[in-house]
Amino acid sequence: MIVRTLASILNTSAHVKGEAFESRRILLAADGLGYSLHDTLCKAGTEQHLEYKNHVETNYVIEGVGEVVNVATGQTWPLGPGTVYVLDHHEAHLLRATTDLRIICVFTPALTGQEKHDASGSYPAPAAG
């Protein structure tokens, strides 16, 4: 059984901060579950261009207001508490935070916790193993 608290993640290597976000990476590849679980904060007034070419990401908004835009189609969906969006086809997307957003994110395959977004907004493919 794995039991972990958000407080135990804060200010560790699993707490990754960027200009527009903070990702508190609660479960990672080393936990051996095949997925990773993140408690992510997106800062009000920011826009992030993201495209997870090597991962499927499921996002559940629990706080705040914003929108997600499919870059290829321009289709836009409002985001608020209780909204789920899934990037099941590796869609390039814009994530806009009108207010601070808090999103619970699940990545498969699991992230190691040390990934950095590349120029396309993607993470590298997981190492074979």
Side-chain angles (χ1 to χ4, degrees), residues 23-39:
S23 178
R24 291 94 61 96
R25 298 169 175 185
I26 299 168
L27 297 172
L28 294 164
D31 293 308
L33 301 170
Y35 64 88
S36 56
L37 178 71
H38 311 248
D39 185 332

Side-chain angles (χ1 to χ4, degrees), residues 69-126:
V69 180
N70 182 319
V71 171
T73 67
Q75 189 167 7
T76 302
W77 294 269
L79 298 176
T83 304
V84 170
Y85 67 98
V86 181
L87 304 160
D88 56 333
H89 297 287
H90 312 285
E91 294 90 347
H93 60 288
L94 300 175
L95 177 59
R96 296 181 179 137
T98 304
T99 67
D100 287 343
L101 282 172
R102 185 173 180 194
I103 305 172
I104 303 302
C105 310
V106 177
F107 280 88
T108 185
L111 300 184
T112 66
Q114 301 308 305
E115 290 85 357
K116 303 281 188 218
H117 289 109
D118 65 17
S120 73
S122 190
Y123 290 136

